[in-house]
Amino acid sequence: DSSNVGAIGFCWGVWAMTKACAMGVNFKCGVGFHPSLKFEDVAFGMDQLRMAKLAADRTPLLFCVAGNDLDNLKPPDGEVARIISSSSKHNAGGSNQPQCVEFPDMMHGWVSRGDTSIERVREDAEKALQMASNFLAHWM
């Protein structure tokens, strides 16, 4: 029973998690690091915005976005960011509100494969992981 499970994805794994949520997999919540939702458009000729809307309507989502990720993921004006944060069904308030959070100085992949010998990379990776942990704990 997936209703007691939270999901975490990295890059294309965020697409898989978001697609699963959109298709009705009943995750309690989902967290994505440096998401690549464009896979929905590029590989399948589908609509990533529609997928994000279906997923956000069903599941509270937190996406941690790198500075060089697509602009549609970045708050406040990115379409995906607006979809995720505007899901009225999952209004938690504060830091546990579904949202996209941009880490503007980070490069795609910084959480899973960033050079943590660089202090700023280590700090932002730890910050993103702590946000994820808090989000999961809140929604689980």
Side-chain angles (χ1 to χ4, degrees):
D1 177 18
S2 61
S3 65
N4 292 319
V5 175
I8 298 177
F10 297 84
C11 189
W12 299 120
V14 182
W15 166 82
M17 175 194 67
T18 306
K19 184 69 169 186
C21 294
M23 294 178 69
V25 174
N26 191 22
F27 292 127
K28 289 285 241 182
C29 61
V31 174
F33 300 100
H34 25 88
S36 289
L37 300 187
K38 67 182 178 181
F39 196 56
E40 184 73 355
D41 301 327
V42 175
F44 299 107
M46 304 294 276
D47 182 356
Q48 68 178 293
L49 297 178
R50 183 176 181 277
M51 178 185 69
K53 173 80 170 119
L54 288 169
D57 285 348
R58 294 180 170 131
T59 310
L61 299 170
L62 170 67
F63 287 175
C64 296
V65 182
N68 68 334
D69 284 329
L70 293 179
D71 288 341
N72 71 350
L73 297 162
K74 297 175 186 174
D77 297 323
E79 298 96 338
V80 172
R82 285 195 319 257
I83 287 168
I84 290 173
S85 65
S86 67
S87 174
S88 60
K89 181 179 177 184
H90 311 293
N91 189 350
S95 62
N96 291 314
Q97 179 70 26
Q99 62 185 309
C100 290
V101 177
E102 183 182 5
F103 290 78
D105 298 329
M106 295 299 107
M107 301 298 287
H108 183 85
W110 93 98
V111 175
S112 56
R113 57 185 166 83
D115 183 352
T116 56
S117 69
I118 300 169
E119 184 177 354
R120 183 71 182 155
V121 174
R122 184 181 67 255
E123 288 173 352
D124 276 2
E126 288 174 357
K127 180 179 177 183
L129 290 167
Q130 187 61 59
M131 289 177 73
S133 178
N134 294 344
F135 190 81
L136 289 163
H138 174 82
W139 289 102
M140 299 293 294

